[in-house]
Amino acid sequence: MARSKVNRSGELEVLVQVVELGGFSAAARACAMTPSAVSKLISRMEQRLGVRLLNRSTRQFQLTPEGCVFYERGVRVLADLDEAERCASANTIPRGRLRVNANVPFGHHFLLPLIPEFLDCHPDVTLDIVLTDEVIDILEQRTDVAVRAGPLKSSNLIARKLGATRKIIVGAPSYLERYGTPSTPQELLEHNRLGSNYARTQQGWPLQQNNEDIILPITGNTQASDGEALRHLALAGLGLARLAFFQVREDLAAGRLLPVLEDYNPVDIEEVHAVYVGQGDYLPLRVRAFLDFLVERVDIGRH
C-alpha cells in the first residue's frame, strides 16, 4: 500500500482506542468496526512499520516496548491534530493531553493544590504529571512544560519566570536540643548535614563569613531524592537541611523547624521557571493555557 494512501491518523485512533479501552472488541464498538477488522488493521500497521506493537494472547494483549513508544507519541500526534483543527476555527478551547514535569517541592506546595482549579477552567485537558528533582530532557521525555529551580542552562527552551525564593538552613527543635545550635560555620561542620543524591550545580552549602564566601560540603549520614524528602527527614530530627524558604515557611511559623546560622546566610536567590519547547508562532492551546495559569496563580516570592 502506498504511503500516501494510508490513513495514518485513522490507524492511530484505532490503536489508541485498543490500548485505552483494553481490547479489540471494545475498540471495535467505539470505532464502528468489527473486532477482526481492528485486528487486521493493527497487523497492517505492524507490517508497514516492521515491528510488533502488541503481544497478543487469547484473552489479553500487552504493548511491546516499540508499541509503548508508538502509542505515547500517537496520543500526542492526535492531540496536536485536534488542536490544529480547533485553531483554524473561531471557537477554540484548550484540549488534549498535557505532560508536566516539576520538582517535588514545587509540585507539593504549588502545582498539586492548583490542579483542581485548572481542570475546572479547562475540563477538556488531560494532565500527565511527573514530580522529580532530577533535571530531565524535555524532548526525550516528551514533556510539554517543565518547572525548574535554579540557573537555566543555555538551550533552545523558552522560559517563563514563576518567581524566586531564598534558601535557608533549618533543624528540628529535637535535633538542636540534642546536638546544640551551631553559632558559626565552623561549628556546622560537627553537625549532620542532610543532602540530595541527585546532581546539582552547587555541591555544598554556601555561607558568608567576614565578607568571604564559604562552601561547606554535605557529609551527612543520609541523602534523599528530593527536597520534600529532606524536609521530612529534618522534621524527624535526623539532621539539618538547606531548603527553599517556601517549603518550610509554615514549619517555621509553627515552630516545627528553626532557622540556623541566618547571620551567615548569603540570601542567595533561586529563581523558578516554567520551560517549554519553542514552536514558532504556534503553541498548543493546552500549553499556552497552562503556562498563563501558572504565571497568574503562582507567586513564589510570597512564600
Side-chain angles (χ1 to χ4, degrees):
M1 182 179 294
R3 187 179 182 88
S4 61
K5 295 182 180 180
V6 175
N7 182 1
R8 286 179 287 168
S9 64
E11 288 184 342
L12 277 176
E13 289 179 352
V14 173
L15 175 65
V16 168
Q17 291 289 347
V18 169
V19 174
E20 296 187 349
L21 296 179
F24 287 11
S25 296
R29 290 191 295 270
C31 298
M33 300 171 64
T34 64
S36 62
V38 171
S39 178
K40 291 178 181 178
L41 182 147
I42 299 298
S43 296
R44 288 197 302 270
M45 292 176 65
E46 292 175 329
Q47 184 177 7
R48 187 179 76 251
L49 297 172
V51 296
R52 180 173 290 278
L53 300 175
L54 303 172
N55 286 322
R56 306 167 179 81
S57 66
T58 304
R59 295 185 178 180
Q60 61 184 5
F61 73 89
Q62 184 179 40
L63 281 169
T64 64
E66 295 80 7
C68 286
V69 172
F70 192 72
Y71 162 73
E72 291 177 2
R73 294 194 176 186
V75 169
R76 293 281 297 279
V77 167
L78 292 175
D80 287 341
L81 180 60
D82 287 343
E83 195 75 53
E85 291 178 347
R86 279 185 290 276
C87 284
S89 66
N91 300 316
T92 57
I93 59 173
R95 185 187 303 270
R97 180 171 299 187
L98 181 71
R99 187 172 177 84
V100 179
N101 179 284
N103 64 64
V104 179
F106 180 90
H108 279 275
H109 290 271
F110 292 103
L111 179 59
L112 296 182
L114 288 173
I115 292 306
E117 181 183 357
F118 176 77
L119 292 178
D120 281 343
C121 295
H122 306 288
D124 293 318
V125 174
T126 300
L127 287 174
D128 184 351
I129 300 172
V130 176
L131 299 183
T132 175
D133 280 14
E134 292 280 1
V135 177
I136 65 157
D137 185 312
I138 288 182
L139 290 175
E140 182 179 318
Q141 298 294 326
R142 299 181 295 281
T143 297
D144 295 297
V145 178
V147 177
R148 292 182 173 170
L152 295 176
K153 295 181 180 179
S154 177
S155 69
N156 294 325
L157 299 177
I158 299 175
R160 294 184 66 176
K161 186 176 177 179
L162 300 177
T165 183
R166 71 184 185 95
K167 305 298 283 289
I168 182 172
I169 298 174
V170 295
S174 60
Y175 174 87
L176 298 175
E177 289 172 5
R178 183 175 182 182
Y179 297 102
T181 300
S183 58
T184 67
Q186 288 71 30
E187 291 182 11
L188 187 62
L189 292 172
E190 303 300 321
H191 285 263
N192 196 33
R193 302 184 297 284
L194 305 174
S196 59
N197 54 21
Y198 53 90
R200 298 287 293 187
T201 56
Q202 197 171 62
Q203 299 301 318
W205 291 359
L207 295 169
Q208 284 185 340
Q209 187 176 31
N210 299 325
N211 296 320
E212 293 185 359
D213 294 332
I214 304 172
I215 301 294
L216 289 185
I218 304 170
T219 57
N221 62 10
T222 305
Q223 293 183 326
S225 62
D226 62 75
E228 276 303 286
L230 290 174
R231 170 176 165 264
H232 283 285
L233 292 173
L235 286 168
L238 185 62
L240 303 178
R242 186 171 185 269
L243 303 169
F245 184 76
F246 72 77
Q247 282 183 262
V248 297
R249 179 177 179 272
E250 294 183 359
D251 296 321
L252 291 169
R256 294 186 293 267
L257 292 173
L258 299 174
V260 174
L261 293 178
E262 277 293 87
D263 290 341
Y264 299 90
N265 192 338
V267 195
D268 52 324
I269 300 299
E270 187 173 71
E271 294 187 342
V272 180
H273 295 86
V275 298
Y276 58 99
V277 178
Q279 302 185 33
D281 294 332
Y282 173 69
L283 186 66
L285 284 180
R286 63 185 184 277
V287 177
R288 188 183 304 279
F290 186 74
L291 289 168
D292 291 344
F293 181 85
L294 286 183
V295 171
E296 180 181 351
R297 299 294 197 281
V298 173
D299 187 355
I300 295 176
R302 293 185 302 184
H303 295 259

